Amino acid sequence: MTDIADVLLVHGGTPLEGEIRVRGAKNLVPKAMVAALLGSEPSRLRNVPDIRDVRVVRGLLQLHGVTVNTGEEPGELVLDPTRVESANVADIDAHAGSSRIPILFCGPLLHRLGHAFIPGLGGCDIGGRPIDFHFDVLRRFGATIEKRADGQYLEAPQRLRGCKIRLPYPSVGSTEQVLLTAVLAEGVTELSNAAVEPEIEDLICVLQKMGAIISMDTDRTIRITGVDKLGGYTHRAIPDRLEAASWASAALATEGNIYVRGAQQRSMMTFLNTFRRVGGAFAIDDEGIRFWHPGGPLNAIALETDVHPGFQTDWQQPLVVALTQASGLSIVHETVYESRLGFTSALGQMGAHIQLYRECLGGSACRFGQRNFLHSAVVSGPTKLQGADLVIPDLRGGFSYLIAALAAQGTSRVHGIDLINRGYENFLAKLEGLGAHIELPGVPAQHAKTAAAAVA
Ligand code: EPU
């Protein structure tokens, strides 16, 4: 199934206690790295986490002639795009399949080279994850797209032109595609029904530093006036609010107490309200947020995921583990990804009572209600969890399994932990630092910490 280094033994039942630090957001940093391609001068990106998505983009940038070096401070990258060149299709392919970011190279490469190649994409299996919006958008700018057996070949026969676009859904990636393409296109682009996640705002900040002209209205409309040339940027990435919420849920589910250094209230307000409704406690200071289980029963809640400023879908999976410990019936309606509740079947094997439904349960009807997807859940708690053999299905689901295994009685074998390295920096060392009883089978105890850091 998986090799030995990819299996983790988790001895559950110990509250996680201590401090961890989150760095730059996984859903911003790789995109800010792609933005550097648009500049005529080097850029400096700070607060970069050492995660797989960053390594994939670094490799792809280097293939295209961008030099990427570490900067003066830890977590700083200096990206020099002055000699951008075409990359070999086979080399690009070798880097693909593990991330969705390559699709965002389209606009910048079309501007810099007049052509681009996009291989098969990776990313988490949490729904169909089509890329139709991306290609519709690029065609509107004037790109031609040809699908061949090995991937998509794009060309810009002439300079791309600004246009009016309305997204069918406020997709994060498609909004980023428009931003990264419109900034150097000729004329004005007006994007309506745009995503407005904090990571998108931060990408806009990066582009503005480079010389772009971008304004955001209150009604999800973004206007971009194309310019002829962009420079470099110096930017500190916003902290990872998704990772921060994962550790908060881990504190709640294990009856622990975790200080998340780097967590910021502003980007987590909706999560914090929900955490409080469930019965979790938190305290905010200038450096981070402390999350803890205050004792006593947790409350069942109704929860619906949504685009920002709603409850982020990536917060859902870890919090569901904590909801298995709440008293009563919780209702979870996943409206962003049609298959993001599939991970709950393993929680059922551990003793959780979770029933999935095809109907939209809770407040509103969503895109998936008529389409036969199991996208609503009723979680009945509290239930004691027992250790089990678990196979990690996707990034957030994987972290949720770690939380469940840590909250459970007995030992779990968690297979496929390498997937978690896509988005959680150094997670094994962080878990050990919080007092988790974990073991990499075959690695002697005195070497486990080093191995944890190495795997991470
Ligand atoms: N969609 C389409 N067609 C498209 C693009 C999107 O139908 O061409 C649909 C998707 O199928 C989905 C919805 O639109 O149902 C939203 O997708 P979106 O484009 O917003 O997602 P994404 O850009 O692929 C990013 C994050 C995800 C995060 C979502 C929503 C990155 C690399 N990924 O994905 O992060 O869940 O936005 O906020 O930024 C994660 O961190 O675990 C993760 C999956």
Side-chain angles (χ1 to χ4, degrees), residues 292-306:
W292 73 97
H293 189 308
L298 297 179
N299 311 314
I301 57 161
L303 175 67
E304 186 165 270
T305 65
D306 206 347

Side-chain angles (χ1 to χ4, degrees), residues 199-266:
E199 292 79 12
I200 289 194
E201 275 189 14
D202 211 37
L203 181 62
I204 291 176
C205 291
V206 165
L207 293 167
Q208 190 178 47
K209 284 176 176 174
M210 296 175 79
I213 304 171
I214 304 173
S215 64
M216 274 176 106
D217 288 352
T218 47
D219 63 348
R220 292 191 177 278
T221 302
I222 301 180
R223 268 182 206 82
I224 306 118
T225 304
V227 295
D228 292 337
K229 197 172 173 197
L230 293 170
Y233 65 80
T234 297
H235 189 75
R236 182 172 297 280
I238 51 161
D240 199 312
R241 66 196 172 107
L242 310 179
E243 183 185 356
S246 295
W247 291 109
S249 296
L252 197 56
T254 64
E255 303 192 2
N257 183 327
I258 302 179
Y259 182 70
V260 183
R261 187 168 294 280
Q264 266 178 2
Q265 177 183 22
R266 190 176 296 279

Side-chain angles (χ1 to χ4, degrees), residues 85-354:
E85 61 193 21
S86 301
N88 183 296
V89 165
D91 292 341
I92 299 178
D93 247 341
H95 278 75
S98 53
S99 166
R100 296 184 65 72
I101 316 292
I103 188 98
L104 294 178
F105 276 71
C106 291
L109 287 180
L110 287 171
H111 284 303
R112 294 296 306 259
L113 301 171
H115 59 88
F117 165 72
I118 302 304
L121 297 176
C124 287
D125 186 12
I126 47 184
R129 307 201 76 179
I131 46 176
D132 50 335
F133 302 169
H134 291 258
F135 287 147
D136 287 351
V137 157
L138 289 160
R139 283 193 192 94
R140 300 291 296 275
F141 280 104
T144 60
I145 304 171
E146 190 191 337
K147 189 171 168 28
R148 297 190 206 153
D150 53 350
Q152 314 268 355
Y153 287 76
L154 292 90
E155 273 189 37
Q158 51 211 337
R159 184 176 174 188
L160 299 177
R161 290 177 315 277
C163 51
K164 268 195 167 193
I165 301 163
R166 182 176 176 82
L167 291 178
Y169 183 81
S171 144
V172 169
S174 316
T175 300
E176 293 159 345
Q177 185 75 263
V178 172
L179 288 169
L180 292 166
T181 308
V183 283
L184 282 182
E186 192 180 345
V188 176
T189 297
E190 185 184 290
L191 174 66
S192 45
N193 207 24
V196 293
E197 267 61 6
E199 292 79 12
I200 289 194
E201 275 189 14
D202 211 37
L203 181 62
I204 291 176
C205 291
V206 165
L207 293 167
Q208 190 178 47
K209 284 176 176 174
M210 296 175 79
I213 304 171
I214 304 173
S215 64
M216 274 176 106
D217 288 352
T218 47
D219 63 348
R220 292 191 177 278
T221 302
I222 301 180
R223 268 182 206 82
I224 306 118
T225 304
V227 295
D228 292 337
K229 197 172 173 197
L230 293 170
Y233 65 80
T234 297
H235 189 75
R236 182 172 297 280
I238 51 161
D240 199 312
R241 66 196 172 107
L242 310 179
E243 183 185 356
S246 295
W247 291 109
S249 296
L252 197 56
T254 64
E255 303 192 2
N257 183 327
I258 302 179
Y259 182 70
V260 183
R261 187 168 294 280
Q264 266 178 2
Q265 177 183 22
R266 190 176 296 279
S267 61
M268 295 186 72
M269 286 189 153
T270 308
F271 177 82
L272 294 172
N273 287 335
T274 306
F275 192 78
R276 185 168 272 161
R277 281 200 292 131
V278 178
F282 60 86
I284 301 163
D285 64 35
D286 289 347
E287 308 292 326
I289 307 180
R290 176 175 298 286
F291 297 94
W292 73 97
H293 189 308
L298 297 179
N299 311 314
I301 57 161
L303 175 67
E304 186 165 270
T305 65
D306 206 347
V307 294
H308 186 77
F311 189 91
Q312 182 80 19
T313 169
D314 312 286
W315 292 331
Q316 176 261 107
Q317 289 159 299
L319 193 68
V320 162
V321 180
L323 291 180
T324 67
Q325 304 309 303
S327 304
L329 296 182
S330 290
I331 295 172
V332 180
H333 182 202
E334 170 61 54
T335 76
V336 181
Y337 291 115
E338 62 271 34
S339 309
R340 212 171 199 177
L341 288 170
F343 82 108
T344 55
S345 58
L347 300 182
Q349 284 166 29
M350 298 177 81
H353 293 162
I354 303 178

